[in-house]
Amino acid sequence: MGFPAQVNVQPAPAVEGDFCTANPRFTVPVGAAAFVAGPNNLRVGAFAWADPTNTILNNAGVGPVTGFIGRFGQRADIITPAPGFPDSSMYILAGQGATAYNGGDFWVKNNSASASAVGQKVYASFATGLAISFAPTGTPPTSGTCAGGTLQKVVSASTGGALPTTNTCTASIAGTTMTVSAVGSGSVLGAGQTLTGTGIVPGTAVVSQLTGTAGSAGTYQVSISQIVASTAVAMSGGGLTLTGANQTGVFAPGMTISGTNIPTGTTILGYGTATAGGAGTYYVDRPAVSAATASTITAANAMFLTVDSSSTGVWAVNDLLAGSGVASGMSIAATGATNANL
């Protein structure tokens, strides 16, 4: 813990994440090796969402929160310096174990301009679970509004693209850091890919890249801590390269893609080098296929939202949407210059 930067005349009643009563409290039940902090570290005293594997916690997400990150039961990392954060950090470092609570009484910080009152409901921002606000039940805060807009089905298309012909690399693992010395020809490494090889714990997945050229040799964070000597590793989950400009819309996680030699049902898991849903690399949920060739790639299973000039506020990824013709639970998955992919 760093040296105190200031001394208050009156001590604070508590620290964010502390228990505020002696009432019973409950933790989210999870299996072996879960939960761990996500690639952006995990803030104590904030809400968190689990990833689809139910092993990684992040302070951003969509839908019901998984739990609250209290101070009790966490690793000592919360009081050690975290890269880019103050000395007395409240962050659990990426890849470290974390405990989420789904019941209990906790101290939190009100991040809204309005004072809290007895009987109000607590709201967490999907963009950051630390942005906690208080308001009457049924009146959640809004990020952006517009008086008019259009909502329609879209099919995005790239004028060229290909899946890699192999999905292999040579790597060693120490703790939750995997060091990749080489990747197979055409292979791309990225978040969401599962790893198999001699000595690798079943279910191990890539969380994020830490250093090196995107998708290639370098260091990566993996989901399960272990020690593995340098070995041949197979990645289940391919890399997709889009080489041409989009004809319409954007490409985004969750979209189903199709094209020459792409297995039916292949879904985009996340971004590699691509930005704003355009050309670049993406990570997909199917193994690479042999003799993949460049082709027109299309993406479906998404809605396209265009807002009009009356738009106010900031429209952000993970925001839930409400309005005429908008289905319950619809949220923003990716944004472009003037549009949002849902």
Side-chain angles (χ1 to χ4, degrees):
M1 177 182 291
F3 190 80
Q6 66 182 43
V7 177
N8 297 324
V9 175
Q10 294 292 333
V15 176
E16 297 161 73
D18 282 345
F19 296 126
C20 64
T21 71
N23 289 334
R25 64 283 307 233
F26 311 95
T27 58
V28 178
V30 290
F35 289 115
V36 298
N40 295 319
N41 304 316
L42 189 65
R43 180 57 154 79
V44 172
F47 290 98
W49 288 259
D51 75 334
T53 68
N54 203 39
T55 59
I56 300 171
L57 288 174
N58 297 290
N59 290 132
V62 66
V65 298
T66 299
F68 180 78
I69 310 303
R71 279 171 54 83
F72 182 77
Q74 312 297 358
R75 294 176 57 93
D77 303 75
I78 64 172
I79 59 171
T80 60
F85 297 103
D87 285 347
S88 53
S89 172
M90 287 278 285
Y91 286 83
I92 301 173
L93 302 187
Q96 302 296 336
T99 299
Y101 291 86
N102 59 0
D105 300 324
F106 299 88
W107 285 92
V108 299
K109 180 180 179 180
N110 181 6
N111 285 275
S112 65
S114 303
S116 59
V118 175
Q120 288 185 330
K121 189 171 184 177
V122 178
Y123 291 95
S125 166
F126 294 118
T128 167
L130 184 60
I132 298 169
S133 59
F134 296 79
T137 298
T139 58
T142 58
S143 297
T145 61
C146 72
T150 59
L151 190 65
Q152 63 189 69
K153 284 279 188 180
V154 295
V155 176
S156 300
S158 171
T159 54
L163 285 170
T165 56
T166 58
N167 269 297
T168 60
C169 71
T170 301
S172 61
I173 303 176
T176 57
T177 299
M178 178 174 69
T179 300
V180 178
S181 57
V183 296
S185 174
S187 294
V188 178
L189 261 170
Q193 292 182 314
T194 55
L195 309 172
T196 56
T198 303
I200 295 178
V201 177
T204 299
V206 177
V207 176
S208 65
Q209 184 164 2
L210 303 174
T211 64
T213 302
S216 188
T219 59
Y220 294 76
Q221 180 190 341
V222 297
S223 60
I224 301 176
S225 180
Q226 56 200 287
I227 301 295
V228 179
S230 182
T231 187
V233 179
M235 297 103 72
S236 59
L240 170 73
T241 300
L242 299 181
T243 57
N246 288 3
Q247 295 173 5
T248 59
V250 296
F251 289 83
M255 298 181 80
T256 302
I257 58 173
S258 60
T260 303
N261 292 326
I262 294 179
T264 302
T266 297
T267 302
I268 297 175
L269 293 176
Y271 299 109
T273 61
T275 58
T281 58
Y282 295 78
Y283 308 124
V284 296
D285 66 345
R286 302 298 173 92
V289 295
S290 61
T293 59
S295 63
T296 296
I297 308 297
T298 59
N301 291 353
M303 295 292 286
F304 200 58
L305 171 70
T306 302
V307 301
D308 65 8
S309 59
S310 68
S311 175
T312 63
V314 178
W315 300 72
V317 173
N318 294 332
D319 278 352
L320 286 176
L321 301 174
S324 178
V326 177
S328 175
M330 186 174 287
S331 63
I332 298 176
T335 59
T338 58
N339 49 58
N341 195 64
L342 313 176

